């Protein structure tokens, strides 16, 4: 099977079916645009399990995603899409680059979720862009942007409810969308603690990739905790 694409945390392979790709979650952890890099045992299987569980719930709630099914500890089958080069970030609580950019303290609940767009370009460090920049870059049509915003907020509502039951705060997260050959828009990439910030609802303890980014503790312990709270297991 041919390796189609290799990212920082995943590899994408062809299968013998043109309509199905195999996505493999690696143990690599990276932060700060690749400046920090480590291989963390068990990370791939934790993200595969968590992402599969989230995609399952999202599909059940009517969100169209690229996810087909989990096939092993580290692999899932997905539908091929052409990724739109935008990171769609939704925020419920101030943290990370939002807090830094606006000089806000971390941990303030926003009265309404904030949606942001970042242009996916490693060489530029994924800059924040607005609708006009996106139109000028020719990345997405106005209707597609509107649709992605609507779907991102729908995903937020579903994940907020799931997190509430798991005693977790969903601080913020990043989504990526892709287009199928016929133009159908699907939620793609992954939904995991690599791409979402989760805090314990009471102690505000961080349980996501910030553990690794800022050397706050064991990434695997945080991810295992999230997986068990949302009712998932590593081995099916
Ligand atoms: N995020 C991501 N990939 C990126 C940048 C951000 O998955 O390349 C996620 C990040 O994990 C967080 C959210 O998007 O859940 C918002 O990240 P932020 O803009 O605060 O950036 P950071 O502080 O991580 O630099």
């Amino acid at each position: 099977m041919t390796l189609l694409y290799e990212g920082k945390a995943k590899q994408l392979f062809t299968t013998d079916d043109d309509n199905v790709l195999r996505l493999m979650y690696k143990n690599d952890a990276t932060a700060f645009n690749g400046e920090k890099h480590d291989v963390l045992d068990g990370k791939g299987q934790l993200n595969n399990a968590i992402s599969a569980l989230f995609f399952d719930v999202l599909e059940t709630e009517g969100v169209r995603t690229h996810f087909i099914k989990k096939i092993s500890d580290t692999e899932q089958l997905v539908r091929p899409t052409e990724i739109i080069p935008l990171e769609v970030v939704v925020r419920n609580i101030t943290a990370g680059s939002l807090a830094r950019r606006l000089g806000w303290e971390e941990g303030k609940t926003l009265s309404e979720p904030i949606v942001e767009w970042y242009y996916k370009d490693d060489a530029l460090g994924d800059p924040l862009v607005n609708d006009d920049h996106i139109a000028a870059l020719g990345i997405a049509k106005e209707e597609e942007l509107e649709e992605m915003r609507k779907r991102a907020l729908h995903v937020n509502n579903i994940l907020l409810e799931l997190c509430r039951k798991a005693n977790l705060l969903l601080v913020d997260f990043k989504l990526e969308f892709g287009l199928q050959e016929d133009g159908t828009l699907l939620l793609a990439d992954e939904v995991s603690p690599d791409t979402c910030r989760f805090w314990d609802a009471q102690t505000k303890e961080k349980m996501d990739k910030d553990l690794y980014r800022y050397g706050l503790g064991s990434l695997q312990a945080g991810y295992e905790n999230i997986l068990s709270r949302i009712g998932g297991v590593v081995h099916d």
Side-chain angles (χ1 to χ4, degrees), residues 30-45:
T30 61
F32 311 118
N33 210 5
E35 269 173 49
K36 185 172 177 180
H37 175 235
D38 287 279
V39 176
L40 303 178
D41 268 357
K43 174 176 178 282
Q45 58 183 26

Side-chain angles (χ1 to χ4, degrees), residues 87 89 91 95-98 100 118 126 172-174 194-197 213:
E87 298 194 336
V89 169
R91 303 178 181 274
S97 72
L98 175 72
R100 291 196 296 273
Y118 293 85
D126 300 342
D172 56 31
F173 60 89
K174 184 265 300 180
D194 267 14
T195 60
C196 308
R197 285 193 169 99
R213 283 193 190 97

Side-chain angles (χ1 to χ4, degrees), residues 8-189:
K8 292 174 192 127
K10 300 188 291 300
Q11 288 177 322
L12 191 60
F13 297 91
T14 56
T15 68
D16 48 22
D17 181 343
D18 285 350
N19 296 314
V20 178
L21 299 176
R22 181 167 57 90
L23 188 61
M24 215 251 326
Y25 284 73
K26 305 193 290 181
N27 284 337
D28 298 67
T30 61
F32 311 118
N33 210 5
E35 269 173 49
K36 185 172 177 180
H37 175 235
D38 287 279
V39 176
L40 303 178
D41 268 357
K43 174 176 178 282
Q45 58 183 26
L46 285 162
N47 271 347
N48 186 39
I50 296 169
S51 199
L53 193 150
F54 282 140
F55 274 125
D56 257 338
V57 173
L58 292 169
E59 283 278 346
T60 306
E61 296 290 331
V63 179
R64 300 189 70 174
T65 81
H66 75 156
F67 179 73
I68 301 172
K69 64 176 177 182
K70 182 173 180 262
I71 51 162
S72 77
D73 281 359
T74 57
E75 299 161 302
Q76 45 188 257
L77 298 181
V78 301
R79 296 179 183 88
T81 62
E82 184 163 341
I83 296 289
I84 296 173
L86 284 176
E87 298 194 336
V88 186
V89 169
V90 181
R91 303 178 181 274
N92 299 303
I93 297 175
T94 58
S97 72
L98 175 72
R100 291 196 296 273
R101 187 178 317 111
L102 298 183
W104 286 350
E105 145 191 7
E106 190 177 84
K108 291 277 164 223
T109 302
L110 298 161
S111 54
E112 292 296 329
I114 291 178
V115 178
E116 296 173 342
W117 314 100
Y118 293 85
Y119 176 35
K120 259 170 75 77
D121 185 317
D122 279 341
L124 297 175
D126 300 342
L128 178 71
V129 287
N130 70 17
D131 301 29
D132 288 345
H133 297 128
I134 294 168
L137 287 162
I139 296 172
K141 300 190 204 97
E142 209 177 309
E143 313 85 76
E144 285 167 348
L145 269 194
E146 194 45 50
E147 187 58 30
M148 282 189 273
R149 182 184 160 85
K150 213 172 88 188
R151 292 206 201 173
L153 290 171
H154 185 206
V155 168
N156 189 37
N157 286 334
I158 297 163
L159 295 183
L160 279 172
E161 179 58 15
L162 216 156
C163 286
R164 193 186 58 74
K165 292 186 191 143
N167 200 31
L168 290 169
L169 293 178
L170 177 64
V171 175
D172 56 31
F173 60 89
K174 184 265 300 180
L175 301 177
E176 292 184 26
F177 291 88
L179 290 169
Q180 286 185 295
E181 257 173 15
D182 66 357
T184 306
L185 185 73
L186 298 182
L187 179 63
D189 195 49

